Amino acid sequence: MIKRSLAGRIGRLAGDSRPERVLIAASFVNRVGNGLFNAASALYFTLVVGLPAVQVGAALTIAGVIGLCAGIPGGHLADRRGARTIMMLALVVQAVSMASLVLVESWTALTIIATVDQIAAAVGGAAWGALVVRVGGDRPARFRAKLRTFVNLGVVLGTVGAGLALAAGTRGAYVTLILGNAASFALYAVLLLLLPRYPVLAAPPQQRRWLAFTDRPFLAFTALYGAMGLQYPVVSLLLPIWISEHTEAPRWTVAALFAVNSLFCVLMQTRIGSRIETLHDGGRAFRNAGLLFLVSCPMMALAAYTPVWAAAGLVLTAIFVHSLGEVWESSACFALGFGLAPDHAQGQYQGVLGLGFSAGQALAPAILTTVVLGLGTKGWLLLAVFFAALGAAGPSLARWGTRTRPQPGVAAEATG
């Protein structure tokens, strides 16, 4: 009786329906694999394969730029041919390309294989967005929050496993991480077979093929989303450099901030995200995120002017506030990104949104390391105001999006 009760609680935590549990489990497995690979990929190509770091960076940059172009047509294909089918094909390609990395011995081979992988990743990402909408059912916000919780947990566990392999430092350990990631893509594809075959939703007659490019509120949100995405490398890139070069905080603070950030997001995502369902909710959550970043960034800057233990405490407090902002921001982007898109074109819209986010992430390192670090404390304050200004636009954008969405009666008539 107790065992059945415990199993029931775990099942409800993982999802409210069988399709939800399947997609959460599949995503979790894949993110464990991603965590294994991401933490060790650069070291493998430089230390084991022997490629110069500059060549590795160039290969990955070329692959990333080319991959950006595949998300939108891939998402459109998912809308017209079925999100599950397209995503499974993309996952199979990623499994093969990832496994092929263990054979890389030259820059050319790395560039070609990484490009194929990034194209498949962009197509799969857009199809994943469309599939999430279909699986989410009547409580999409709650499902997306749970999904992100388990995705974050998977990355954390994968990173821990990568740390153990990195400690060994052998070629076999690195190869195991790469093949483990390849296996996670293959298992992901197999698990998707357990999902039902969702029928393709017909587009209304006379509608433009590339609808997302004419949707001004959505394009405006895509720009805001890409810009607000700078908050992610604040934790992974900017703050570690700031701690090591400008503060007296002990170096273990860098590891601690990653742990606090990941753990807090895992614990709070469902609690906060499940309540953010409508466009109106998303707009307010976006504003809340900006205000929290307005508080966290100056706290990070002030750590440079405090004694050693005070600096460590200030940084950890700042990352706690920043993580809360991250949860609000991701929940807002779920509500707005999916809520502004029509159901029959979710893949196309998620492809556009992914392009905007990826472009922001590509520009982030240059912006954060030159502007913010270059200006020092003033740069942190400027970044804080920038995030707050972006967040302040959330409610107005939500109202604009609501006014320009087809009313239920009109939509029914169009599809009738």
Side-chain angles (χ1 to χ4, degrees):
M1 187 72 177
I2 295 177
K3 290 183 178 180
R4 286 198 297 270
S5 177
L6 179 60
R9 290 181 181 178
I10 294 175
R12 288 191 295 272
L13 179 63
D16 297 329
S17 67
R18 183 172 181 270
E20 287 187 9
R21 290 190 287 273
V22 167
L23 189 56
I24 287 174
S27 300
F28 173 78
V29 167
N30 183 234
R31 289 311 175 95
V32 171
N34 295 166
L36 292 173
F37 175 74
N38 293 339
S41 58
L43 293 178
Y44 171 75
F45 296 122
T46 55
L47 299 181
V48 178
V49 180
L51 295 176
V54 173
Q55 289 189 7
V56 174
L60 297 181
T61 298
I62 292 171
V65 171
I66 296 176
L68 287 176
C69 304
I72 299 172
H76 180 72
L77 190 63
D79 292 328
R80 303 279 63 86
R81 294 290 182 267
R84 189 188 74 156
T85 299
I86 299 303
M87 189 174 176
M88 288 175 62
L89 291 174
L91 289 169
V92 170
V93 172
Q94 284 192 273
V96 174
S97 62
M98 187 60 56
S100 301
L101 288 177
V102 301
L103 305 176
V104 165
E105 295 183 352
S106 67
W107 178 82
T108 301
L110 174 60
T111 303
I112 293 173
I113 294 174
T115 299
V116 172
D117 177 74
Q118 287 302 302
I119 291 173
V123 172
W128 179 85
L131 193 60
V132 166
V133 172
R134 303 302 296 272
V135 173
D138 297 332
R139 295 292 305 277
R142 179 178 173 84
F143 169 60
R144 291 191 295 261
K146 288 184 176 182
L147 182 59
R148 190 168 191 271
T149 296
F150 281 89
V151 161
N152 286 335
L153 182 59
V155 172
V156 171
L157 294 177
T159 303
V160 171
L164 298 176
L166 291 176
T170 64
R171 180 184 180 91
Y174 283 103
V175 169
T176 299
L177 295 179
I178 294 173
L179 295 180
N181 192 27
S184 77
F185 285 111
L187 182 56
Y188 197 167
V190 171
L191 289 174
L192 291 186
L193 290 172
L194 301 177
L195 291 177
R197 290 178 174 269
Y198 295 102
V200 173
L201 300 177
Q206 308 301 320
Q207 181 176 284
R208 295 183 180 183
R209 182 176 184 180
W210 301 108
L211 179 63
F213 290 109
T214 65
D215 192 333
R216 289 184 294 174
F218 184 80
L219 293 177
F221 170 66
T222 298
L224 290 177
Y225 179 50
M228 189 70 95
L230 264 68
Q231 62 91 5
Y232 290 103
V234 164
V235 176
S236 62
L237 174 67
L238 182 60
L239 187 54
I241 296 176
W242 182 259
I243 290 173
S244 63
E245 296 184 357
H246 297 276
T247 77
E248 297 297 326
R251 297 298 172 258
W252 58 258
T253 308
V254 174
L257 70 89
F258 281 111
V260 171
N261 177 247
S262 300
L263 181 61
F264 188 83
C265 290
V266 167
L267 294 176
M268 297 303 296
Q269 186 68 57
T270 300
R271 183 182 298 273
I272 293 175
S274 61
R275 302 197 304 266
I276 302 172
E277 297 183 333
T278 65
L279 294 178
H280 177 69
D281 296 337
R284 290 194 304 172
F286 203 71
R287 180 183 59 197
N288 292 345
L291 293 175
L292 287 164
F293 296 144
L294 179 65
V295 174
S296 66
C297 288
M299 293 175 67
M300 296 173 187
L302 288 175
Y305 304 95
T306 56
V308 54
W309 294 110
L314 191 58
V315 167
L316 292 176
T317 303
I319 204 64
F320 178 85
V321 176
H322 194 90
S323 300
L324 183 59
E326 180 181 330
V327 172
W328 280 102
E329 185 263 352
S330 62
S331 301
C333 292
F334 279 146
L336 292 168
F338 288 109
L340 289 171
D343 289 342
H344 67 274
Q346 282 286 349
Q348 180 189 142
Y349 271 65
Q350 300 314 311
V352 172
L353 196 61
L355 175 61
F357 180 77
S358 298
Q361 294 300 290
L363 295 173
I367 294 173
L368 295 177
T369 56
T370 57
V371 177
V372 179
L373 286 181
L375 294 175
T377 301
K378 292 180 180 178
W380 279 104
L381 297 178
L382 182 63
L383 184 64
V385 173
F386 175 70
F387 284 141
L390 292 174
S396 297
L397 178 70
R399 290 192 293 270
W400 184 19
T402 301
R403 289 196 306 269
T404 54
R405 299 308 94 179
Q407 298 302 312
V410 176
E413 182 179 345
T415 57

